[in-house]
Amino acid sequence: MWDAVGLGETEGRMYEALLDHRQASADDLAVATGVAPKQARQTVETLAHLGLATRLPGLPARYTPTPPDLVASDLLAAQERRQRRIESHLQQLARTYAARRGSRHPAELIEVIEGTPNVRGAFQRLQRSATEQIRVFDRPPYFNPAGSEAFETNDDELSNLDEARIAYRVIYARSALDIPGRMADVWAGVRQGERARIAPTLPLKLALADDTIALINSTSDFGAATAYLVHPSALLDALAELFETTWHHAIALNQTRSGDHHEADPEDGRRIDLIGMLASGSTDEAVARAFGVSVRTVQRYIHVLMDEVGASTRLQLGMELVRRSWV
């Protein structure tokens, strides 16, 4: 806890012990904290230097603590100054790095990332580096030891969307929506502001941060848990163009309007998932697997939805859903 304001664990414990004693010598604090007397003397002198303690007149030396409310304001102010210094330094490094980007050797334009933790870390860093938008091709299987049918919620995306920091555009492969529970995860992002579209297939897994860096899978063998980081280059431009072309032809998936349903109703939640999967072109069998019900039950759900919007055929249902801006 104390390291958040630049204090070591021993310094923090000794300050707390000094608060308990009101007045104490270094030897008293050594006994109270269980540290060696020499270390206790050095630490309490450090506390005095930082303004957390005051040495009283007389011998042997005794110390009294600075009240915690005063300490809090001083430590937090000092921490803010340190943060501003490191932010300024990193910004200068970023400017220097950007200025030298154009002189990259061709061999440095693609960086190989190996191992699931490193791939995940690269994806997180990519999202944090973006200043305008993240563009994603989302398709299974995923880098997950639990198996190809597992997926993880992108907490960084939800946080960025909640803070309105950057925009997200995500194209989902139809097969991604066949995974049980995935539609609910997709809708969670859409409710936060994600713009989502669905494509029958996607050629690769892709994440683009602005027009500055991309992360793609290295081979079709996702079990190898390797990926490429692509830096500014003709290849990066081609990946951005591939995304935009695919986005243009993909099916838009919008959240149903807030007045059309009540999210607390589980029946409505199922309807939202059903609409999303129908928009993606999923078969009745795929919907049944995702919902954990029979194909006959799925067909009954569809007929209920058709009755609700006044459609007598599936084509009319699709047209009506588009007219109502549900997809």
Side-chain angles (χ1 to χ4, degrees):
M1 178 172 59
W2 287 103
D3 61 359
V5 289
L7 286 183
E9 179 186 354
T10 301
E11 293 164 349
R13 286 195 295 121
M14 193 156 294
Y15 174 69
E16 292 177 5
L18 189 56
L19 287 173
D20 289 338
H21 284 71
R22 299 286 183 165
Q23 291 185 16
S25 66
D27 290 341
D28 295 333
L29 296 174
V31 173
T33 58
V35 303
K38 181 178 180 180
Q39 183 181 6
R41 287 191 290 274
Q42 293 173 342
T43 302
V44 74
E45 284 295 331
T46 299
L47 293 179
H49 176 72
L50 294 173
L52 275 72
T54 301
R55 180 171 177 171
L56 300 174
L59 293 174
R62 297 183 66 80
Y63 299 83
T64 185
T66 302
D69 53 342
L70 299 179
V71 167
S73 58
D74 290 344
L75 288 180
L76 292 175
Q79 183 68 3
E80 289 175 0
R81 289 193 295 271
R82 286 192 291 270
Q83 288 179 338
R84 286 195 295 270
R85 285 198 298 270
I86 190 62
E87 286 175 3
S88 176
H89 184 58
L90 288 173
Q91 288 171 358
Q92 179 59 47
L93 291 176
R95 287 191 290 269
T96 303
Y97 177 74
R100 294 176 179 171
R101 246 186 224 168
S103 61
R104 274 183 179 272
H105 188 278
E108 298 176 329
L109 297 177
I110 299 178
E111 182 181 347
V112 180
I113 309 296
E114 297 182 295
T116 299
N118 294 328
V119 172
R120 287 176 179 159
F123 182 46
Q124 291 171 343
R125 291 193 300 275
L126 179 145
Q127 293 181 87
R128 293 166 188 165
S129 72
T131 59
E132 295 181 2
Q133 69 169 333
I134 296 289
R135 292 171 285 181
V136 175
F137 279 172
D138 186 298
R139 55 167 281 189
Y142 300 99
F143 293 116
N144 196 311
S148 62
E149 289 296 296
F151 66 90
E152 292 185 77
T153 298
N154 186 355
D155 293 329
D156 286 328
E157 175 186 354
L158 297 179
S159 176
N160 286 332
L161 290 171
D162 186 55
E163 298 171 2
R165 197 177 75 82
I166 54 177
Y168 276 78
R169 287 193 288 154
V170 183
I171 304 175
Y172 295 92
R174 180 184 301 161
S175 56
L177 305 185
D178 294 343
I179 299 174
R182 192 65 209 272
M183 272 306 306
D185 181 67
V186 172
W187 283 121
V190 171
R191 282 193 295 271
Q192 291 290 95
E194 174 191 298
R195 295 174 61 195
R197 294 195 175 188
I198 303 164
T201 61
L202 292 173
L204 75 168
K205 296 169 72 71
L206 166 69
L208 275 162
D210 301 325
D211 290 313
T212 59
I213 196 166
L215 181 69
I216 62 174
N217 56 286
S218 60
T219 67
S220 59
D221 179 11
F222 287 86
T226 58
Y228 293 141
L229 270 178
V230 182
H231 297 277
S233 59
L235 176 57
L236 182 65
D237 295 341
L239 291 171
E241 185 63 28
L242 173 63
F243 180 92
E244 294 302 333
T245 301
T246 307
W247 179 265
H248 178 73
H249 291 95
I251 301 169
L253 181 64
N254 302 323
Q255 180 188 4
T256 54
R257 293 169 296 179
S258 60
D260 293 331
H261 69 277
H262 194 283
E263 293 181 9
D265 187 340
E267 292 296 314
D268 286 335
R270 184 184 62 207
R271 183 179 69 167
I272 293 172
D273 289 352
L274 177 62
I275 291 172
M277 297 196 73
L278 290 176
S280 75
S282 297
T283 64
D284 291 357
E285 290 77 10
V287 177
R289 286 196 302 272
F291 283 12
V293 298
S294 68
V295 173
R296 188 180 183 87
T297 300
V298 170
Q299 292 170 346
R300 180 168 57 82
Y301 292 163
I302 294 172
H303 281 291
V304 169
L305 184 59
M306 291 169 61
D307 291 340
E308 181 181 346
V309 300
S312 57
T313 67
R314 289 201 179 195
L315 177 59
Q316 288 180 332
L317 172 62
M319 294 174 65
E320 189 64 26
L321 292 177
V322 171
R323 188 186 69 81
R324 294 174 181 233
S325 298
W326 290 1
V327 297

